[in-house]
Amino acid sequence: MSEPAAAAPLLRVCSPADLVELVPYLVGFHPKDSVVFISLHGPRERVGLTLRLDLAAAMEDLDSLNTCAAHLARSGARAVVVVVYSRGPTYWFEDGTPSLPHSDLVLELADALRLHNVVLADALLVADERWWSYLCLDPMCCTPEGHDITDDGTVSAVAAAATVAGMTVVADRDALVQSLAPLPEPDRADLAARCRQLAETWEHSGGRPSNEEAAQLWSNAVLAQRHSESPLDWADAAALLVLLQDAGVRDACTTWATGPDTGAARALTRQLARRASPPWDVAPYALLAWYAWRGGDGALSRIAVEFALASDPKCAFALLIQQLIDYGVDPRAWRDPPHMGGGGGPRL
């Protein structure tokens, strides 16, 4: 399945080398055995929707290439740069030019894009900290040995600008999964017991916070994360997890997907999801998936969805987000329905 990646902030990309350095920040991790599609929009060729596909999936199912091309065309792309992450060349022709692996796949990609009136602007291979162009045949420009991704091991201007813009990158997708994975069961047991006790108390004796009190509790917890990502105390964490079982409360919290405190809201939902046990983990994982998708972090969103559906395969909210990712919907084109409202906080 394709994974939409983060939309780039206004970063200056002047060459294929710059683009190669930017890709991990767009995806959120250093791709391995992957095909990354970077759409270019408008006369200034701004980076738009970016998709990542497992290389094995692309090779086994060529229809997936057409699906990605359709998603990119629907997002308004006029051109696309494709970056293949695989092994380096192991064979050179008699004229000294390298035989780049997966050249046939690149031709299939070009055909798929052409069918949707999208131009293949360039196709690059990244392997062993070097990159090559599939399209450039000029040895003065693209040497047979390829180009170093970094010249001297120092931080490039693109990487520095991406970091300043708040874009982060981890080692690989497995590291991203681990950053969202539930904490060890013994570390979650006490909170699960508190959630069960609190839910039973509210059900049999009343005392459930009002909508206004629930909104204030969530707001306070988010704003606390703005200054420190220290764990919530057990009582507040249990209250929030039980309150999020109410679809109305959860849906109201989706309004924090945009605005200045989105990062704090994401930190809060990540913390709650990792500390929770089924069934309390479903809502925070789904909410985190929503925040991540709205922010353009497709890989993070898909992983959070997978955790939510592993706990509850019928969670309608998580299934909706999964469909948005699978259909390649550009989050920048999304408009909240009236009941969600704009950014800034819950409206209960």
Side-chain angles (χ1 to χ4, degrees):
M1 296 180 181
S2 62
E3 292 177 343
L10 291 179
L11 303 177
R12 188 173 182 81
V13 178
C14 302
S15 67
D18 287 347
L19 196 59
V20 167
E21 290 205 57
L22 181 61
V23 168
Y25 292 92
L26 294 174
V27 176
F29 57 90
H30 292 278
K32 296 179 181 177
D33 297 319
S34 302
V35 182
V36 177
F37 305 78
I38 306 161
S39 64
L40 305 176
H41 295 249
R44 300 182 68 180
E45 296 190 331
R46 293 192 182 277
V47 173
L49 180 66
T50 301
L51 301 177
R52 188 199 71 87
L53 191 65
D54 287 340
L55 181 58
M59 295 173 64
E60 293 171 5
D61 180 13
L62 294 180
D63 286 343
S64 64
L65 304 180
N66 185 65
T67 299
C68 288
H71 292 339
L72 294 162
R74 193 160 51 243
S75 75
R78 61 179 289 176
V80 167
V81 176
V82 171
V83 185
V84 178
Y85 289 81
S86 181
R87 68 184 189 281
T90 58
Y91 172 79
W92 274 257
F93 296 108
E94 291 183 359
D95 63 359
T97 58
S99 174
L100 301 184
H102 309 299
S103 296
D104 291 345
L105 182 65
V106 171
L107 292 176
E108 295 283 353
L109 287 169
D111 289 342
L113 291 168
R114 192 178 301 112
L115 288 174
H116 294 277
N117 297 315
V118 178
V119 175
L120 179 62
D122 206 347
L124 308 174
L125 170 70
V126 175
D128 305 323
E129 298 300 320
R130 302 182 71 78
W131 64 269
W132 294 258
S133 174
Y134 286 96
L135 304 187
C136 180
L137 301 178
D138 183 355
M140 299 298 293
C141 173
C142 294
T143 64
E145 297 79 17
H147 300 271
D148 287 330
I149 292 180
T150 55
D151 293 329
D152 54 9
T154 60
V155 177
S156 70
V158 170
T163 301
V164 169
M167 303 174 76
T168 59
V169 59
V170 297
D172 52 30
R173 194 178 190 276
D174 287 343
L176 200 57
V177 171
Q178 288 304 310
S179 73
L180 266 65
L183 298 177
E185 196 280 332
D187 296 337
R188 295 180 285 132
D190 285 347
L191 183 56
R194 288 173 181 264
C195 288
R196 287 192 296 270
Q197 183 179 18
L198 185 59
E200 291 172 0
T201 299
W202 285 350
E203 181 179 357
H204 299 300
S205 305
R208 180 191 182 280
S210 66
N211 287 346
E212 291 75 16
E213 290 169 332
Q216 191 61 54
L217 180 61
W218 178 263
S219 179
N220 290 345
V222 171
L223 296 181
Q225 292 296 303
R226 180 199 291 173
H227 306 292
S228 171
E229 293 190 15
S230 58
L232 290 176
D233 63 44
W234 293 105
D236 285 346
L240 287 174
L241 287 171
V242 176
L243 286 168
L244 285 173
Q245 303 307 298
D246 184 309
V249 173
R250 183 209 63 203
D251 288 350
C253 292
T254 62
T255 61
W256 290 79
T258 58
D261 293 313
T262 298
R266 287 173 62 162
L268 175 62
T269 50
R270 183 195 296 257
Q271 178 193 144
L272 288 173
R274 299 193 70 198
R275 294 174 64 188
S277 299
W280 320 106
D281 59 341
V282 180
Y285 269 127
L287 196 54
L288 176 58
W290 176 254
Y291 292 156
W293 180 77
R294 286 297 310 272
D297 289 343
L300 186 71
S301 183
R302 185 179 290 285
I303 293 167
V305 161
E306 290 170 355
F307 278 119
L309 294 178
S311 185
D312 179 7
K314 296 182 180 180
C315 176
F317 187 36
L319 289 170
L320 167 64
I321 301 168
Q322 184 182 61
Q323 286 185 322
L324 293 172
I325 297 171
D326 287 346
Y327 292 152
V329 177
D330 189 340
R332 292 168 302 177
W334 177 266
R335 296 294 179 268
D336 286 327
H339 74 276
M340 283 187 172
R347 299 175 180 176
L348 297 172

